[in-house]
Amino acid sequence: ILNVEQSPQSLHVQEGDSTNFTCSFPSSNFYALHWYRWETAKSPEALFVMTLNGDEKKKGRISATLNTKEGYSYLYIKGSQPEDSATYLCAFLNNAGNMLTFGGGTRLMVKP
Amino acid sequence: EPEVTQTPSHQVTQMGQEVILRCVPISNHLYFYWYRQILGQKVEFLVSFYNNEISEKSEIFDDQFSVERPDGSNFTLKIRSTKLEDSAMYFCASSGLAGVGEQFFGPGTRLTVL
C-alpha cells in the first residue's frame, strides 16, 4: 500500500499572506506527482504534473517544487487571495502503471 | 472550454440494486478513469480504461464493478449489487496522455445507498 501524506490538513491565512504545504510520497519507483486544486462543489482542477527531481513549476502565484530522492513536494502560494480558498490535493504515480494514489489534501481558507 | 460531464449528480438507491453512473469524457482524450471518495476519506482510484479495455484496477474494483464505453462518447461505471459501503462521491476523469497527462475531472456523482 502506497502512503501519500499531506500536511497540514487545514490552514487559515489572511489575504496577502504567502503560504506553503507539503506532500510526502514513497521515494522508490517514482514516475510522476500531480497537484490538483479542488474548490467546493466543483471538479478537481489540475495544477501541475511533475516528473523530474528538482523540477519547479509555476502558474501565476502558485508554484511547486519536487524532491524525488527524499519523497516530498512543496506547493507555494504567494500573496494568498480569497479565491485561492480550496483543497489542494497531491497524487503520486509509480512506474507500475496508471493508478494515482492521493493524499488527504490540505484545505486552505483565505480570510479577506 | 471542453469539460468532463457526469450524470446524475446525485443517485439514491436501495442496497442490492444495480446502478449505472455515466460520464462523457473530453472528446479527443484516450484515457479514462473512475475514482471515488467516501465522506471524510481520501480520493481512491478505481479503474483506468484505454483502447476499450481496462488497463489497471484497484482492489476496490471487484466483480461487482464494471466499466464500459458503449459508444464514442459515454463512459459508464456499473455497480451490480450495491452495498451500504458503496455510498461515496464517484468521479470520472479523462486525459490525453497516460501517467504524465493532466487528468480532467467531472463534477462527480454522489451515490447514496440506503
Side-chain angles (χ1 to χ4, degrees):
Chain A
I1 295 177
L2 299 172
N3 205 23
V4 180
E5 299 295 335
Q6 291 186 247
S7 62
Q9 280 190 328
S10 66
L11 193 54
H12 289 77
V13 301
Q14 287 293 136
E15 183 176 352
D17 287 352
S18 294
T19 187
N20 65 84
F21 21 94
T22 308
C23 171
S24 61
F25 51 85
S27 54
S28 57
N29 300 318
F30 176 88
Y31 192 75
L33 187 82
H34 293 229
W35 279 101
Y36 290 89
R37 180 171 176 273
W38 190 6
E39 285 183 74
T40 304
K42 293 189 177 178
S43 312
E45 175 197 345
L47 288 172
F48 307 114
V49 180
M50 307 178 81
T51 56
L52 297 175
N53 185 43
D55 244 356
E56 287 189 33
K57 296 214 172 181
K58 190 174 179 185
K59 190 182 277 192
R61 293 178 292 98
I62 305 176
S63 60
T65 61
L66 180 69
N67 183 325
T68 61
K69 294 192 187 314
E70 294 180 42
Y72 65 83
S73 175
Y74 293 136
L75 191 82
Y76 301 90
I77 303 180
K78 187 176 175 184
S80 305
Q81 300 296 308
E83 57 265 32
D84 296 328
S85 297
T87 296
Y88 291 82
L89 292 172
C90 69
F92 169 81
L93 184 69
N94 67 14
N95 55 20
N98 293 313
M99 187 185 305
L100 280 181
T101 302
F102 282 82
T106 292
R107 189 172 175 211
L108 175 68
M109 283 152 282
V110 183
K111 296 179 196 173
Chain B
E1 188 175 322
E3 58 182 22
V4 176
T5 58
Q6 289 186 242
T7 53
S9 56
H10 191 186
Q11 173 97 46
V12 181
T13 190
Q14 294 290 325
M15 193 168 58
Q17 294 296 303
E18 174 183 287
V19 294
I20 298 176
L21 310 183
R22 290 184 166 78
C23 169
V24 180
I26 292 173
S27 61
N28 61 351
H29 283 180
L30 301 175
Y31 299 87
F32 313 113
Y33 311 87
W34 282 101
Y35 297 88
R36 77 173 187 192
Q37 187 185 36
I38 295 169
L39 191 64
Q41 297 186 23
K42 293 180 180 180
V43 174
E44 299 172 293
F45 171 90
L46 293 177
V47 67
S48 60
F49 192 86
Y50 169 72
N51 200 27
N52 280 321
E53 58 183 32
I54 290 174
S55 48
E56 192 163 1
K57 59 183 181 178
S58 70
E59 289 175 358
I60 303 167
F61 195 90
D62 61 22
D63 292 345
Q64 292 300 310
F65 291 87
S66 62
V67 288
E68 200 177 25
R69 189 153 160 82
D71 52 43
S73 58
N74 290 285
F75 179 50
T76 61
L77 175 71
K78 184 194 290 187
I79 309 175
R80 241 177 291 280
S81 176
T82 48
K83 306 183 187 96
L84 295 176
E85 54 265 35
D86 293 327
S87 294
M89 194 77 164
Y90 287 80
F91 292 96
C92 170
S94 69
S95 67
L97 291 172
V100 297
E102 291 180 346
Q103 293 188 20
F104 292 78
F105 282 77
T109 293
R110 179 166 297 287
L111 176 65
T112 303
V113 182
L114 302 175

